[in-house]
Amino acid sequence: MHNVTLNNGVEMPILGFGVYQVPPEETEKVVTDALAAGYRSIDTAAAYGNEEAVGRAIRGIPRDELFITTKLWVQDNPAEENTRRAFDTSLRKLGLDHVDLYLIHQPYRDVHGQWRAMQDIHREGLARAVGVSNFHPDRLVDLIEHHDIVPAVNQIETHPFYQRTADQDLMRDRGVQIESWGPFAEGKNDLFTHPVLSEIGGAHGKSVAQVVLRWLIQRDVVVIPKSVRADRMAENLDVFDFALTDDQMARIADLDTGASQFFDHRDPGMTLQLGNHRLTD
């Protein structure tokens, strides 16, 4: 496994395992299979409803071998107090005394109050690194400019059809590590049978999924693919024995549409929908 070094010196695996949309009743087995395949970086969130199952699956694995990420959902005021309460709940559900990375999940409500609490959580050693998710450059820069701690990570939609190169350039300049969610675009635009990706895969004896993961890794993008199948989990890890050529990287770059394949976090309707959604413990 290759690691990236975050802006505070913490090392994070460049390839991990995500559990978004994995039902809670299936998550323990799925994560257990992922761990057996060799994954040690696991990404979950309070909003996924499966933190407890992740906690059960990782029990017994030496803590220093794991890199556990979870996320803070949108909080009402007082944001600082509620953020601490939400973090304590996540920590309890995971059965851990600290997490490796804690992210603001959505860029809504009082993100500055949430970030102040997350800075305290980090200073107390309860989260080795803190960061954000789904922040566009304007919101990310606003957060950086008004606080002491620069987010270590920004986890955003990143895949061949929405490549986020300008976002990544800004993050690199600001010391923020880009992390991809939705690396396969959930199969949109016939990704898994796309002729360009298929041809490149054939040249290396690799699947389209492996080509996409390798493309992200060569761009220094942390990625957390999800699968519920053990064979696909193993396949997704098998991407460190080949490299894409400059020409192949350029051909994939030409697939960028410059637009989300899901939804825009700057859309007022989405702001209302996500910003007003509340979780129950």
Side-chain angles (χ1 to χ4, degrees):
M1 179 57 63
H2 297 177
N3 293 333
V4 298
T5 302
L6 303 181
N7 59 20
N8 64 352
V10 168
E11 291 196 350
M12 178 181 188
I14 200 166
L15 179 59
F17 186 79
V19 296
Y20 174 57
Q21 293 182 328
V22 179
E25 64 274 14
E26 298 176 20
T27 299
E28 183 176 357
K29 180 184 184 306
V30 167
V31 174
T32 297
D33 289 345
L35 293 166
Y39 293 90
R40 288 298 180 267
S41 177
I42 309 295
D43 179 278
T44 184
Y48 301 169
N50 54 23
E51 288 174 310
E52 287 180 291
V54 169
R56 291 193 298 271
I58 62 177
R59 197 171 300 143
I61 304 294
R63 183 64 184 90
D64 60 0
E65 293 183 12
L66 295 168
F67 192 99
I68 304 300
T69 300
T70 193
K71 307 180 193 76
L72 170 76
W73 190 248
V74 180
Q75 295 300 308
D76 292 318
N77 286 322
E80 293 179 60
E81 179 182 326
N82 287 333
T83 294
R84 175 60 71 131
R85 185 179 299 112
F87 176 77
D88 290 344
T89 298
S90 288
L91 209 59
R92 173 179 53 79
K93 288 183 175 181
L94 288 164
L96 298 175
D97 61 7
H98 73 278
V99 297
D100 299 282
L101 180 61
Y102 195 44
L103 304 178
I104 292 180
H105 201 159
Q106 303 291 350
Y108 303 129
R109 299 242 168 180
D110 182 9
V111 296
H112 292 278
Q114 294 169 49
W115 191 249
R116 285 191 293 271
M118 291 180 70
Q119 289 185 135
D120 289 341
I121 287 166
H122 172 62
R123 291 182 181 115
E124 294 169 24
L126 298 172
R128 296 175 64 221
V130 288
V132 297
S133 180
N134 297 309
F135 274 54
H136 282 271
D138 56 338
R139 301 307 306 275
L140 180 62
V141 169
D142 182 59
L143 198 71
I144 291 171
E145 286 295 308
H146 294 96
H147 297 278
D148 296 329
I149 296 177
V150 174
V153 168
N154 186 15
Q155 185 184 114
I156 58 176
E157 178 189 352
T158 315
H159 49 71
F161 307 126
Y162 194 29
Q163 300 188 11
R164 314 301 289 270
T165 53
D167 297 58
Q168 184 176 9
D169 288 343
L170 179 140
M171 288 184 227
R172 186 181 291 112
D173 289 343
R174 291 284 185 155
V176 181
Q177 172 65 49
I178 184 174
E179 180 176 12
S180 161
W181 65 256
F184 305 136
E186 294 187 3
K188 294 179 185 293
N189 293 349
D190 298 320
L191 178 137
F192 292 110
T193 56
H194 194 283
V196 169
L197 300 172
S198 297
E199 182 182 338
I200 293 171
H204 292 279
K206 295 290 185 177
S207 69
V208 165
Q210 289 172 313
V211 167
V212 170
L213 294 175
R214 184 67 208 180
W215 167 75
L216 287 163
I217 288 168
Q218 285 186 216
R219 286 183 53 200
D220 298 320
V221 178
V222 172
V223 61
I224 45 170
K226 178 201 76 176
S227 178
V228 296
R229 291 175 45 179
D231 59 335
R232 292 279 173 81
M233 295 176 193
E235 177 184 296
N236 290 343
L237 272 180
D238 187 23
V239 292
F240 295 101
D241 61 348
F242 76 108
L244 302 179
T245 66
D246 290 344
D247 176 69
Q248 290 167 342
M249 293 291 287
R251 291 177 67 195
I252 297 173
D254 287 341
L255 303 181
D256 193 9
T257 68
S260 171
Q261 300 299 298
F262 300 95
F263 53 81
D264 188 341
H265 280 82
R266 294 166 297 189
D267 175 71
M270 188 53 61
T271 299
L272 288 172
Q273 180 180 331
L274 292 177
N276 291 314
H277 179 69
R278 294 294 171 268
L279 303 182
T280 58
D281 289 346

